[in-house]
Amino acid sequence: MAATRNYDCIILGSGQAGTPLALAYAKAGLKTALVEKSHLGGCCVNEGCTPTKTMVASGRIAHLTRRADEYGVNTPDGSGEKVIIDMAKVRQRKRNIVASFRGGSEGRLEKSNVDILMGEASFTGPKTVLVKLNSGDAEVSLAADTIFINTGERPVKPDLNGVEGIPAERVLDSTSIQELGEVPTHLVVLGGGPIGLEFGQLFRRLGAAVTIVQRTSQLLPREDEDVAATLLEILRDDGITVHLKASATSVTKSSSGSFDLAIRTEDQTETTISGSHLLFAAGRTPNTDMLNLSAASISSNSRGYITTNERLETNVAGVYAIGDVKGPPAFTHISYDDFRIVQANVLNKGVTALTTTNRFVPYVTYTDPQLGHVGLHEKEARAKYPNRKIQIAKMPMSYVARGLETDETRGVMKAIVDGTSGEILGFTCLGVEGGELMSMVQLAMMGGLKYQSLRDATFAHPTWAESLNNLWGFLE
């Protein structure tokens, strides 16, 4: 092994925090090393947001095509049911967009002065790492006073009795399901969180029978029960079978080459589901087990996530954790905000100090309709502010003119406010473009606007936005 290479900064992982941080350090004239195990751009570009939402778009087109006759647009046989899915083309479209996005990251990095090392890094001390390069058996030792860990997460490995006996191509996670070359006959999804619901609805629209098995009493456990119940109704209306308060106990290979999944419901009833493909969508784990954190005395919690303070500092001076590797909330936009925080505090020496304290954590689950949320949920607001006058405004999307005009009336809007001050504490929109409507309310919250300002605003007609005039009439 050659002598240790010294840098001003080492970044482990090229996700949505690591890549812009590497570019910022290089632009500042500092010697920077970026280590990436698999592909530049991180999970979002390669396996997460970009490819999945590309595929969801294909699913929506299939859905609208089947509904064409509702709009007076007839297919040749007049039924609107003859939709032919070219799964290989759906997959290739996804691959093309991923390649374009990834190419943008690669191009920017290649034009910078960042040293890119493709390989797996592990700590050998508080300020040193060893990189096993992907090409050959070569190893490189790196050292820097400042190290950023941006290694992200990966899907949890399947843990189910009998799963090892099922053909590997039929056992899927959130990455491998995107490479299917054909639509499953019957997709069984273990997990009713965002990943499970997005893929479940997508493949239902592409023509698969879909069953979702969820351990808890509702889908999307972080959401308020009434919103989750509305989404459950929508998914069942789409033809998806959902089992709540149910757990998979075992799986066996069937005579047809598919599988039989045994599930147990809350009352201990055993049921068997026959399926063709099994998607494990019930969890992710941090990419820290290979980092040898103990060699640097870096602290992590019981689940393996690196612990940080509000400035994203670990317990070791000069070592920072950014992005999903430090634990939830695991969102691309949070990772990018982590970049802004360490750029301001570390690279720019705290001229404008930033922290994670009280930052907004908006998110969107890309079911159709979308579920966008920002701020507190009702249950959180009542628990956090027991002495404040918490009021709720809830309006079905069927009351929105734009929804009626486009025949997109499924869903609900819900706002949580302080009835005394008018402060908006939280907002959820389960509706078409729910993420965009949520972002409008987030802007109002960031600017300190009261709900009355939205109620009395002049929004263009007919837009989804003007629903923010009418919502407050349902305040209770």
Side-chain angles (χ1 to χ4, degrees), residues 23 32 38 56 64 98 126 143 146 151 171 179 188 216-217 219 221 238 252 279 295 297 300 345 364 398 403 407 439:
L23 293 170
T32 305
S38 53
V56 164
L64 290 176
V98 167
T146 304
T151 50
V171 180
E179 283 299 304
V188 181
T216 62
S217 60
L219 300 174
D238 280 359
T252 56
L279 171 62
S297 299
S300 60
N345 298 341
V364 183
S398 58
D407 200 10
S439 297

Side-chain angles (χ1 to χ4, degrees), residues 43 152-159 172-176 189-197 199 213-215 221-222 279-287 303 305 324 328 330:
C43 174
E153 299 174 302
R154 65 184 184 274
V156 172
K157 287 185 177 181
D159 182 16
L172 307 168
D173 61 24
S174 59
T175 300
S176 61
V189 181
L190 299 184
I195 293 173
L197 299 191
F199 279 118
V213 180
Q214 169 69 343
R215 288 178 179 271
R222 79 170 70 179
L279 171 62
F280 285 83
R284 294 175 68 79
T285 190
N287 293 320
R303 296 180 60 195
Y305 290 102
D324 300 353

Side-chain angles (χ1 to χ4, degrees), residues 103-127:
S105 295
E106 292 172 345
R108 288 188 293 274
L109 286 167
E110 288 170 0
K111 291 177 182 178
S112 70
N113 291 319
V114 176
D115 284 353
I116 302 171
L117 294 89
M118 299 303 295
E120 183 173 285
S122 60
F123 282 91
T124 54
K127 302 294 182 180

Side-chain angles (χ1 to χ4, degrees), residues 53-71:
K53 279 47 179 181
T54 298
M55 296 180 74
V56 164
S58 294
R60 178 161 172 78
I61 294 302
H63 172 67
L64 290 176
T65 302
R66 291 189 181 95
R67 294 184 59 204
D69 61 329
E70 298 176 23
Y71 297 87

Side-chain angles (χ1 to χ4, degrees), residues 263-308:
I263 67 170
R264 181 180 294 121
T265 57
E266 185 182 26
D267 62 3
Q268 301 305 304
T269 300
E270 295 278 353
T271 303
T272 299
I273 303 169
S274 296
S276 64
H277 293 75
L278 183 60
L279 171 62
F280 285 83
R284 294 175 68 79
T285 190
N287 293 320
T288 54
D289 49 324
M290 69 290 291
L291 290 177
N292 194 24
L293 296 176
S294 60
S297 299
I298 298 171
S299 296
S300 60
N301 65 19
S302 59
R303 296 180 60 195
Y305 290 102
I306 297 173
T307 53
T308 64

